[in-house]
Amino acid sequence: MTTLADREWRLIRDEPRDGATQMALEEVAARTALEDDVRTVRTYPWEPSTLSLGYRQDADTVDWAFCEREGIDVTRRQTGGGGIYHDRYADISYTIVAPADEVPGDLMDCYELFCEPILAAFDRMGVDADFATAERDAIYRPSCYLRDINPAHDIVAPAGAGTQAKKISGNAQYRQRDVVIQHGSISYALEPRKHVGVFDADLSESTFTDRVTSIRDEAGIDRETAVDAISGALRDWCDAAEATWRTDELEAARDLAARKFASDAWVRERDVLEADDQ
């Protein structure tokens, strides 16, 4: 396997965009990796606020009235797991996109590799975080942050607290067109009312705060400093050059977002476009 830094990588510190476009940009980045031999790492916020559903999640788990009332969009990810509430402030998201033949074929080994810069970022921020060392049962499976805690890909803090550690980051992968895409949600601040409110379930805010922690609570740093740390760790991990999306990539993402990630067929029914339409 070739050393990551021997390939061409770009870092995109993305601007706030709607959830459908953010998901579409990942597929566009996959195409760029294959066709133009350029790999991508990026950080990004969401605006408007968005609930991203896991790939197989039932749309009936969503409190659609709450989302409409609060101005929260809903999209569906390509990755599994539970739904996550994202916004411009409380959530910091990241993506890593690389050809599959350049990274470990074993899922757990690939998670370990792709989470290296995330763990490095926590270290830079002074957050004592690491992969969970103890499994914990789910409280409410439709919510990513309230699902069972999995040592393979869930990051918790404080690292040595065992079953008392709280989740601070959820990470997921999928493979498409011979490309591996990993994305993750990193909790900068807690927004418990909306995190539980987006689901059609009787969940108290304390259920969320008892299970989840944040960068702000653990290290007390401001959001810009946190984004700088995460972006810098991603950049250093693969020796990426600072970049922005090309005009043609943004156009392709807007088109794919409209046809797929913002469509009721995808969001509510998981209807998939034909392969030659993507």
Side-chain angles (χ1 to χ4, degrees):
M1 187 178 66
T2 305
T3 303
L4 295 175
D6 291 340
R7 300 296 190 179
E8 184 177 355
W9 288 82
R10 62 181 177 177
L11 165 68
I12 297 176
R13 288 184 53 141
D14 215 349
E15 63 188 67
R17 303 181 195 277
D18 64 272
T21 300
Q22 297 290 29
M23 294 298 93
L25 281 165
E26 295 186 342
E27 296 197 14
V28 170
R31 186 183 311 160
T32 297
L34 288 178
E35 297 178 359
D36 301 325
D37 201 32
V38 178
R39 299 136 200 81
T40 301
V41 289
R42 71 167 177 145
T43 54
Y44 59 101
W46 307 62
E47 191 174 53
S49 299
T50 302
L51 168 63
S52 71
L53 302 178
Y55 180 65
R56 299 188 182 280
Q57 187 172 345
D58 191 334
D60 289 343
T61 61
V62 177
D63 187 333
W64 294 95
F66 178 90
C67 291
E68 182 175 0
R69 187 168 63 248
E70 297 288 333
I72 300 170
D73 281 356
V74 182
T75 190
R76 185 179 292 276
R77 304 188 306 273
Q78 292 278 21
T79 51
I84 307 175
Y85 167 78
H86 312 270
D87 63 19
R88 185 169 182 165
Y89 180 74
D91 176 275
I92 302 172
S93 292
Y94 76 90
T95 307
I96 300 172
V97 182
D101 62 3
E102 297 176 4
V103 300
D106 179 80
L107 179 64
M108 295 301 102
D109 289 345
C110 197
Y111 267 128
E112 185 173 357
L113 175 65
F114 279 14
C115 284
E116 282 179 4
I118 306 308
L119 293 173
F122 281 125
D123 187 58
R124 293 182 184 195
M125 292 184 283
V127 177
D128 178 25
D130 205 343
F131 288 114
T133 57
E135 293 186 9
R136 296 182 67 183
D137 292 337
I139 298 172
Y140 179 69
R141 289 191 61 81
S143 166
C144 171
Y145 278 97
L146 299 180
R147 287 170 72 91
D148 46 306
I149 291 180
N150 190 322
H153 50 75
D154 288 330
I155 296 175
V156 299
T163 57
Q164 301 304 308
K166 297 184 178 183
K167 189 168 179 177
I168 196 168
S169 176
N171 310 276
Q173 281 185 22
Y174 66 103
R175 294 182 182 236
Q176 182 178 70
R177 296 184 66 206
D178 300 319
V179 173
V180 176
I181 301 170
Q182 177 166 310
H183 54 201
S185 167
I186 300 170
S187 174
Y188 169 70
L190 299 184
E191 189 65 66
R193 185 180 72 85
K194 292 181 179 177
H195 265 286
V196 300
V198 294
F199 298 107
D200 187 17
D202 185 17
L203 296 168
S204 67
E205 293 182 22
S206 62
T207 301
F208 184 81
T209 55
D210 287 346
R211 188 68 169 243
V212 185
T213 189
S214 68
I215 293 168
R216 190 175 66 178
D217 286 347
E218 296 296 322
I221 61 177
D222 62 48
R223 190 181 190 281
E224 184 177 355
T225 300
V227 173
D228 285 344
I230 297 165
S231 299
L234 286 165
R235 180 192 62 230
D236 295 347
W237 174 69
C238 58
D239 194 24
E242 297 265 357
T244 57
W245 297 109
R246 302 190 312 254
T247 299
D248 64 302
E249 290 179 306
L250 291 172
E251 290 174 351
R254 283 192 289 266
D255 176 67
L256 182 58
R259 291 188 296 116
K260 179 178 180 179
F261 289 103
S263 71
D264 276 352
W266 170 253
V267 176
R268 293 178 182 260
E269 306 295 337
R270 195 162 48 89
D271 286 348
V272 181
L273 295 171
E274 294 299 324
D276 57 1
D277 289 336
Q278 296 192 46

